[in-house]
Amino acid sequence: MAQQFKRYTLTAALPYANGPKHIGHLAGAYLPADVYARYLRAQKRDVVFVCGSDEHGTAIANQAMKEGTTPQTIIDKYHELNKKSFEELGISFDIFHRTSSPLHHETAQEFFTNLNDRGLLTEEVSEQYYDAKAEAFLADRYIYGTCPNCGHDHAYGDQCEKCGKSLSPLELINPKSTLTNEKPVMRSTKHWYLPLDKYEPFLREWILEGHKNDWKTNVYGQCKSWIDGGLLPRAVTRDLDWGIKVPVKDAEGKVLYVWFDAPIGYISATKQWAIDNNKNWKDYWQSPDSKLVHFIGKDNIVFHCIIFPAMLHAHGDYILPQDVPGNEFMNLEGDKMSTSRGWSIEMHEYLHDFPNQPDLLRFTLMSILPETKDSEFTWKDFQAKTNNELVAIFGNFVNRTVVLTEKYFDSKVPEATDYTKEDLIVLQSIEAIVTRIEQAIEGYRMREAMAEALNLARLGNKYLADNEPWKLIKTDEKRVKTIMNISLQLCASLSIAWEPFLPFSTLKLKKMLGFDGTAWHLAKQTNNLATGHIITNTGLLFNKIEDTQIELQVQKLKAKAEAIAIATKVIAPIKPNVTFDDFSKLDIRIGTILEAERVPKTDKLLKLKIDTGIDQRTVVSGIAGSYDPKDIIGQQVSILVNLEPRTIKGIESQGMILMTENIAGKLSFVAPTNTDVEIGAEVR
RNA sequence: UGCGGGAUAGAGCAGUUGGUAGCUCGUCGGGCUCAUAACCCGAAGGUCAUUGGUUCGAGUCCAAUUCCCGCUACCA
């Protein structure tokens, strides 16, 4: 099974150029891919590691419309920002291309034409909503209207956020365009489809049988779920003016669907790299002795395991991915990461706040990569891992070794003579650990690989502690020379073995050691530094993170999320005027909560018993997200008592509790501010 | 609703084909002093989400349940 490949084609998910990318993206795809790429290069294998900005699609087009700018402005901004961030974090793409490039347009069009000319795409005409003012067809998400199920007046074309029901745009009552608030019209449109159903036998054999044992369970399971669920033809074109023109006559206003063009971006990126480096791109995409690996997050599994392989298979000239190590997601301080909600650490933000310390982030993220399940990043953990592991174990061992060498041997590598049994065990352990690192990386277990690499430094610390050269120096200098020689050789091994994880720090370490080896096998050798060779103490490899630094970050995170919440909070417009008589019809009283309990099988509902002064009645209220039942017994409330009763979850609700809501969505009772108001009092 | 993944010490995670529960950090105790109060040694701490089943024996297999995450096809 261990097939030897001549070359490796590695891809990392193309970041969508509508905004900056956060550390969750980094941990999901870019970091593991980078470790793999750097490792393979150290093994002197033939590798190309490609990525680039994904710059088409309705999201960017609409964002530009809303901001009153052009899509080009947006993609230029974020392409540059993300490219720079990746560079500064040491993500070693051989090329960071972009899908707006002419070469990509050409490549994607060729791909489409190849399939279309061979009759592998089907054409279909359907009726879709069209916004005449914006001159655009509307995706389901861009239509809103009244929900036929619950009457909510701002349900979207795909789903009502209020009652959760899945909808189609046709079901919406009084549909409106989110772009212009105009009423959309039905218009017929033609699109091209990739008949995925025809590739089901191929996918079944290739994935379900061929990769049953080597793909990750989460990836395999997801694929199986899709295939077993039945595949349908999938549109590969869209009505939009932002994107790659459909290369067919009379296809005005139609572009390739972004998910058709994006993965082809891997190919065009490789083409550009090949041009720049005098290589043949086909070797990396069309030669069976090349290994193609896609690094992605779990949201991307279906596109990289089902759709893109089906496209490649349909085309026929291409190899298929050998593996798709999809990662789960990384949470942040107890909540999902989200750029739009401001609950995120963007790559450029980290780089700004921790200048020249990309390796610290790499280290912590690597140690909590969401390889088998979702994981969580906290600033406190970042501090602890940096200080207690990276600094205390790795940094400290190097520092001890360098300082002792400086002190005892004038910074010259001393000669090793007469290895003891213990010395030999240590030297063998180095080789064994490095081998384990290899195996872990080749199996995409990057977290485990780095944990092993840390053991290499632990080995060094223990070796020094066991042999106590600072004592022996008084009695047996010859023995100390051997001990320090071995310690220094171990530092050289560290500088190779850690390079995939911490490229900046290992470079610094190599400078200190005056060692310029890069080949992986050198990590197992014990004579990388020649006797008499001079080393230079250029300072500590890593610095500790202070409490104040992380406190600042936590505050900053909270402040950012809050600022965005305020900025995006829309103050509801005033409703049409009502007469005093209209208002007088409402009978609102002050009541007290007597009993409260959760309504089973619901997230938000509480069943309340209210004393209204007139009677005691049952009210079902959607406040469980904000209040614990046991905390609100005795709470005074305002209650609308003459509301028509309504049955909710089988319970008749006789009235409505008046609530208001803050930015965070937390509900609050509207009740008298004084405690001397009697139950049953009217609110006027 | 359906499907996929997850639930193991205070925290973060491993646990191969079922055979006396491991690792790192944290905590506690000790040692050492070359080192960024770092390092080394040792200890405490888990009814492996719940319930039932298969088995001589289950974290590991089966069934049901609960909770978390994702997907459910045009939201990139």
Side-chain angles (χ1 to χ4, degrees):
Chain A
M1 199 170 104
Q3 196 180 342
Q4 266 307 318
F5 291 93
K6 261 193 184 162
R7 55 191 93 67
Y8 293 78
T9 309
L10 312 181
T11 76
L14 302 186
Y16 197 59
N18 68 338
K21 296 296 134 181
H22 56 59
I23 63 172
H25 296 114
L26 205 51
Y30 308 107
L31 217 37
D34 186 56
V35 170
Y36 195 63
R38 286 176 180 275
Y39 163 77
L40 291 174
R41 290 193 198 105
Q43 287 281 24
K44 304 301 172 193
R45 313 247 183 102
D46 186 353
V47 180
V48 63
F49 178 25
V50 302
C51 193
S53 292
D54 175 8
E55 304 178 295
H56 298 130
T58 49
I60 283 173
N62 290 333
Q63 189 177 336
M65 192 185 296
K66 279 181 187 162
E67 291 179 14
T69 180
T70 62
Q72 190 66 42
T73 310
I74 290 177
I75 63 170
D76 284 350
K77 177 177 168 187
Y78 292 114
H79 172 74
E80 287 309 322
L81 179 67
N82 288 328
K83 184 169 192 270
K84 184 160 170 277
S85 297
F86 283 131
E87 267 169 30
E88 291 178 11
L89 284 160
I91 306 299
S92 60
F93 299 131
D94 289 304
I95 181 168
F96 189 75
H97 203 229
R98 52 195 306 187
T99 61
S100 59
S101 73
L103 177 63
H104 174 68
H105 279 239
E106 200 180 286
T107 305
Q109 286 177 335
E110 270 175 25
F111 205 110
F112 178 92
T113 302
N114 177 296
L115 299 188
N116 199 32
D117 288 355
R118 291 162 58 216
L120 298 175
L121 300 178
T122 54
E123 293 173 29
E124 222 171 282
V125 175
S126 63
E127 296 273 312
Q128 282 193 7
Y129 273 123
Y130 179 83
D131 182 332
K133 189 171 173 188
E135 298 183 341
F137 278 93
L138 297 166
D140 292 357
R141 189 59 186 273
Y142 290 100
I143 302 164
Y144 71 94
T146 303
C147 174
N149 190 44
C150 73
H152 177 50
D153 61 1
H154 208 92
Y156 290 98
D158 54 348
Q159 192 181 32
C160 172
E161 312 260 309
K162 186 123 179 172
C163 66
K165 186 173 167 55
S166 294
L167 300 171
S168 94
L170 297 176
E171 297 176 71
L172 285 178
I173 299 159
N174 192 21
K176 294 260 180 71
S177 163
T178 59
L179 301 176
T180 60
N181 294 320
E182 296 286 317
K183 187 178 165 61
V185 296
M186 291 305 288
R187 186 179 278 201
S188 70
T189 178
K190 181 169 86 172
H191 283 294
W192 282 259
Y193 288 75
L194 179 66
L196 279 179
D197 45 321
K198 287 190 184 157
Y199 299 105
E200 189 186 313
F202 149 71
L203 291 166
R204 213 167 259 288
E205 189 186 337
W206 175 59
I207 300 175
L208 299 189
E209 284 165 40
H211 290 295
K212 192 174 181 124
N213 298 316
D214 58 335
W215 283 14
K216 291 175 59 168
T217 49
N218 60 337
V219 174
Y220 181 87
Q222 194 62 243
C223 292
K224 187 170 188 311
S225 162
W226 278 83
I227 295 170
D228 288 347
L231 299 166
L232 296 174
R234 192 170 170 110
V236 299
T237 56
R238 281 287 181 285
D239 290 297
L240 195 68
D241 58 3
W242 176 245
I244 296 173
K245 302 292 173 218
V246 174
V248 173
K249 268 187 188 171
D250 305 325
E252 275 305 300
K254 294 187 192 299
V255 296
L256 299 181
Y257 180 31
V258 65
W259 269 114
F260 184 85
D261 102 56
I264 296 173
Y266 297 138
I267 300 170
S268 48
T270 311
K271 280 187 178 175
Q272 185 61 52
W273 168 81
I275 292 167
D276 297 343
N277 292 278
N278 198 26
K279 303 267 188 179
N280 179 6
W281 72 271
K282 287 187 177 176
D283 288 344
Y284 295 85
W285 280 94
Q286 302 189 346
S287 173
D289 52 12
S290 292
K291 178 171 178 175
L292 173 63
V293 182
H294 296 306
F295 288 87
I296 54 167
K298 66 176 160 185
D299 51 333
N300 265 333
I301 290 172
V302 65
F303 295 100
H304 288 81
C305 296
I306 307 277
I307 299 173
F308 189 44
M311 287 163 58
L312 295 172
H313 174 74
H315 188 290
D317 290 344
Y318 287 87
I319 54 171
L320 298 170
Q322 197 67 31
D323 210 335
V324 185
N327 275 332
E328 303 285 310
F329 285 167
M330 182 175 279
N331 295 320
L332 170 63
E333 299 280 354
D335 207 347
K336 270 191 244 188
M337 260 190 251
S338 160
T339 299
S340 58
R341 285 191 300 117
W343 196 254
S344 64
I345 303 164
E346 312 297 346
M347 296 190 293
H348 69 283
E349 291 176 330
Y350 172 85
L351 289 163
H352 177 266
D353 291 354
F354 294 87
N356 302 315
Q357 299 173 87
D359 280 351
L360 300 192
L361 183 64
R362 288 178 68 112
F363 179 82
T364 291
L365 292 183
M366 204 83 65
S367 69
I368 56 171
L369 290 182
E371 290 176 339
T372 54
K373 59 185 163 193
D374 290 357
S375 65
E376 172 154 336
F377 179 97
T378 65
W379 281 109
K380 197 159 166 276
D381 197 37
F382 170 70
Q383 181 192 30
K385 283 187 187 297
T386 301
N387 294 357
N388 303 336
E389 299 185 44
L390 190 56
V391 171
I393 298 168
F394 187 168
N396 196 227
F397 170 65
V398 170
N399 189 241
R400 298 169 86 182
T401 303
V402 170
V403 168
L404 286 173
T405 306
E406 220 171 10
K407 208 177 271 187
Y408 300 153
F409 304 113
D410 210 15
S411 296
K412 283 187 193 132
V413 177
E415 186 181 12
T417 47
D418 304 328
Y419 287 145
T420 64
K421 210 184 206 173
E422 287 72 27
D423 292 345
L424 290 171
I425 290 172
V426 166
L427 296 176
Q428 283 162 13
S429 298
I430 294 174
E431 193 179 341
I433 291 173
V434 173
T435 301
R436 283 201 292 268
I437 297 172
E438 281 168 30
Q439 289 165 345
I441 295 180
E442 304 252 11
Y444 312 107
R445 299 186 306 274
M446 308 307 174
R447 213 174 44 197
E448 181 187 323
M450 199 182 72
E452 280 297 345
L454 198 59
N455 282 337
L456 208 51
R458 279 202 182 87
L459 180 71
N461 278 317
K462 183 165 161 50
Y463 179 68
L464 286 178
D466 289 348
N467 288 283
E468 302 183 303
W470 48 89
K471 279 187 181 167
L472 278 179
I473 191 68
K474 293 162 195 158
T475 57
D476 188 352
E477 192 182 307
K478 192 177 168 205
R479 174 66 192 141
V480 174
K481 283 185 176 174
T482 302
I483 295 167
M484 294 320 298
N485 181 287
I486 289 176
S487 298
L488 285 162
Q489 304 299 351
L490 183 46
C491 286
S493 290
L494 287 172
S495 77
I496 300 272
W498 274 88
E499 197 275 340
F501 309 106
L502 309 179
F504 300 96
S505 306
T506 49
L507 192 63
K508 196 171 169 187
L509 175 56
K510 280 178 183 168
K511 274 186 191 156
M512 259 197 243
L513 298 173
F515 175 55
D516 58 7
T518 56
W520 184 259
H521 69 90
L522 295 178
K524 298 178 182 176
Q525 287 187 192
T526 54
N527 58 349
N528 285 315
L529 303 175
T531 302
H533 177 81
I534 306 254
I535 60 166
T536 322
N537 186 353
T538 56
L540 301 169
L541 280 184
F542 315 103
N543 292 307
K544 290 197 166 190
I545 304 287
E546 303 297 331
D547 291 348
T548 51
Q549 287 177 277
I550 62 158
E551 281 158 19
L552 188 70
Q553 288 302 324
V554 172
Q555 276 173 19
K556 210 174 143 178
L557 176 64
K558 288 179 179 164
K560 185 172 76 167
E562 201 169 313
I564 287 187
I566 291 169
T568 54
K569 176 76 180 181
V570 188
I571 301 293
I574 295 181
K575 294 175 188 170
N577 284 353
V578 296
T579 63
F580 180 75
D581 281 350
D582 287 338
F583 176 74
S584 304
K585 288 176 189 164
L586 302 177
D587 190 343
I588 303 169
R589 305 291 180 116
I590 299 305
T592 302
I593 298 176
L594 299 176
E595 293 169 14
E597 61 182 271
R598 292 287 295 256
V599 178
K601 303 242 174 201
T602 66
D603 293 335
K604 294 179 184 167
L605 299 183
L606 288 188
K607 180 181 167 190
L608 306 173
K609 189 173 222 184
I610 310 287
D611 186 346
T612 62
I614 312 160
D615 53 16
Q616 292 187 0
R617 54 173 74 194
T618 300
V619 174
V620 176
S621 186
I623 59 173
S626 302
Y627 289 99
D628 197 313
K630 67 178 186 298
D631 297 337
I632 57 173
I633 309 291
Q635 169 74 46
Q636 276 200 334
V637 297
S638 305
I639 174 169
L640 178 60
V641 292
N642 64 338
L643 182 68
E644 201 66 42
R646 184 167 168 204
T647 302
I648 301 167
K649 286 278 164 190
I651 303 163
E652 184 174 85
S653 181
Q654 303 157 314
M656 190 173 122
I657 308 290
L658 268 50
M659 307 294 296
T660 186
E661 191 178 2
N662 74 359
I663 287 161
K666 187 180 182 322
L667 296 168
S668 189
F669 291 108
V670 176
T673 52
N674 296 336
T675 53
D676 57 0
V677 177
E678 286 81 16
I679 291 174
E682 289 181 71
V683 176
R684 294 193 285 258

